[in-house]
Amino acid sequence: MLGLIGLALAILFFDQLAAIGQWGRLIGFLIGSTYFGLMEGHAGRCQSLGKQALKIKVIRCDADGIATLGVTQACLRYAIVAVPTVLGGIAFVDLPALNSPHEAWISRVNSFAVFLWGAALVYLLAFNRPSRQSLQDLAVSSLVVRVSTKQVRVVQVRRKHWVALGAFAGLILLASPFVNRYLASKLTELDQIQRATLTVPSVMRSGVTMSSIRHVGSSGDAPRTVTIISVVSGSPMLQTEQGTHAIARAAFGAWPMLANQDIVTIVSVRGADLGIASWRTQFVESWPGRQWASKMTSP
C-alpha cells in the first residue's frame, strides 16, 4: 500500500520530484513515518494493511505484559528500518559538493554504514530465534506476533549474534582499503569519464560500466567491447540529442580511447525517487565508438 501511494505521487508530481533529485527520499520517509505511526501506533491498531492481510500485529512487551505501541514508538521503529532502505543513510542529501569525485570518501563511508546496518537488520531477523526481533524491535521492545497471540515470552539476544555481527563488520572494515585500492588501479579510465561527465550542467550523478560480450556460437570471434555511460539529471534538456552529445563530448574528451570501443551507449535518466517508490524516463543513444565523432554536434 505504501509503495502504491509513493508510485502515484511520483507519477503525478514527476517534474517537481525529478527537479529535487534524491531529496525526494526525505518526502517518502515522512510519508512512511506518518503511515506506520498512524497504522501501528495510533489508537492501539498495531497493524498496517500488510500485517492485516497476513494476520499479524506489532505489540510491545513491558512489565505488565502485552501493550500497544504509541505513535512515537511506531515512528521510531519504522525509522530504524527506513534510514538505510529509504533514505540510504545520508544519500538523500543531494548536493553537488557531495557528488563530486573529490568527496567520494563520504559516499564510501555512508555505503559502508548502510550496508552494515542493513546486514544487521536481516541477520537478526533470520537468526535471532525464537523471537526474530531485529534492531527496530529491540529499540522499542516490540515483537511481531499472530493476531490471536495472548501471551509472549521475550528472549534476550544471544551474545554470539553480536559477536558475529562485530566480526563481520571488522572483516569488511579491514578488507575495504585493499579492495578500494585494487579497484582504483583497475578503473582509472572509468573514473576519468565519470569526473568529466559530472562537469556537464544539470548532471547530478554519473556511472560508467565497461564489458565484453561474446555471442553464443561465435567462439572464434573476438568479444565486442561495450561501454555504457549513465547520467542522472534534473533537467529534460539532457534527454535530447543535444544533451546526449554534450555528455559524449565530455566523455570522449576525458578518454579518447572510447573511440576504439565497439559500442558506446549514453543513457540520460530523469527520475522521481521517493525511496518507497520511483518513476523514471530515459533517453538512450548508442553508436560504435568511431561513429560518435560524426554524431557529436558543436554546442
Side-chain angles (χ1 to χ4, degrees), residues 1 41 98-99 105-106 156 163 182 190 224 257:
M1 182 62 182
L98 294 179
N99 292 325
W105 67 271
I106 298 177
Q156 293 293 323
V163 171
Y182 173 78
L190 275 64
R224 291 165 58 86
M257 294 299 291

Side-chain angles (χ1 to χ4, degrees), residues 125-143:
L125 179 63
F127 298 108
N128 183 26
R129 301 180 181 181
S131 68
R132 294 189 185 274
Q133 285 180 300
S134 194
L135 298 179
Q136 74 276 18
D137 292 313
L138 295 172
V140 298
S141 300
S142 64
L143 195 65

